Amino acid sequence: MFSVSKLKTNSMKNVFIIFSLLLFCFSTHAQRSSDLGIIISSNSESRFTLEYRKPIWEKYNLKFGSTFGNLHSSIFNPWNIEQSTDSLILFGRKNSSENFLNFKFGVERTIKSSPFSVGLDLLLGYKNAKHYKSVRHYELGPMGKWDYTHFGEKDAGTLIKTDSSFGKTIFHYFIPALQLNLGLDLPLAKRFIVNLSYQYAAGVLLNTGETRENNSSTEFDYLKKTKLTFNSRFNVGLRYKFNVKD
């Protein structure tokens, strides 16, 4: 028969062994390494992000990255009558395109021992916004025939009198912003992590200049005003971990 004291001693040894194994497994799993991620966003302004993440301290990461995106108005924007007389009809159409580039510097913290994290980024962004104005010019000639000229972007609908010296204005902006991140990391195999996140950014849109091509119109000058910007989005990404032992 085993004595009670011996039984207790064996039980304590078993508990110690189990605890040691759990601690070893946790330490092995908790080994943190740098990673590089490609992230796709639900928002066109920040469609693709390339981000490097480096662990510091126990639960913190430093993050460095670049974000790219663009927006384009529809090429099928309607033509609107801007002027009409017995001998002259003017149709006008506006198109635009915007390109975005952000450099991001941030820090994030893991929430306790969970796969969730919260972080804050500083964004230094650049945006160029191109605004086009096209005109279809119909004029009644002396012989009673309508003469057609197209001023603006290439008009696939006609080969007659196309004048490409149309008005185009390009605005340039600097956009500093702060961005809140809520993230979730899900392990995938040994070297990969699936990352899900929600981001909310607040910044300032600062006009730094403009470029005009054959356009002296002040039609788009209201776009030069400084204003606050707000942006929210959901992201999904794949991260590759460096220095992982096979």
Side-chain angles (χ1 to χ4, degrees), residues 45-46 48-50 65-69 99-105 122-127 174-177 179 231 233:
E45 295 181 15
S46 54
F48 300 101
T49 298
L50 184 66
S66 298
T67 301
F68 311 89
N99 296 289
F100 301 84
L101 171 64
N102 276 292
F103 294 101
K104 60 186 295 186
F105 311 90
L122 171 64
L123 305 179
L124 301 176
Y126 167 75
K127 166 186 171 182
F174 172 58
I175 316 173
Q179 178 173 267
N231 190 296
R233 52 189 170 269

Side-chain angles (χ1 to χ4, degrees), residues 46-65:
S46 54
R47 182 65 71 193
F48 300 101
T49 298
L50 184 66
E51 182 179 87
Y52 175 73
R53 190 168 62 170
K54 180 176 179 58
I56 57 172
W57 304 315
E58 183 180 356
K59 295 182 178 293
Y60 289 85
N61 289 315
L62 286 178
K63 298 189 299 180
F64 309 92

Side-chain angles (χ1 to χ4, degrees), residues 95 97 129-133 153 165-171 211-216 220:
N95 292 92
S97 66
K130 302 177 182 179
H131 295 271
Y132 309 87
K133 177 66 179 292
E153 297 172 276
S165 61
F166 62 98
K168 178 171 70 173
T169 305
I170 306 174
F171 293 101
T211 304
R212 293 178 180 267
E213 296 183 14
N214 301 307
N215 183 19
S216 59
F220 298 113

Side-chain angles (χ1 to χ4, degrees), residues 71-90:
L71 288 171
H72 296 278
S73 63
S74 172
I75 60 174
F76 301 107
N77 280 348
W79 289 91
N80 299 307
I81 297 177
E82 297 187 345
Q83 184 179 344
S84 177
T85 66
D86 292 339
S87 59
L88 177 66
I89 303 176
L90 292 181

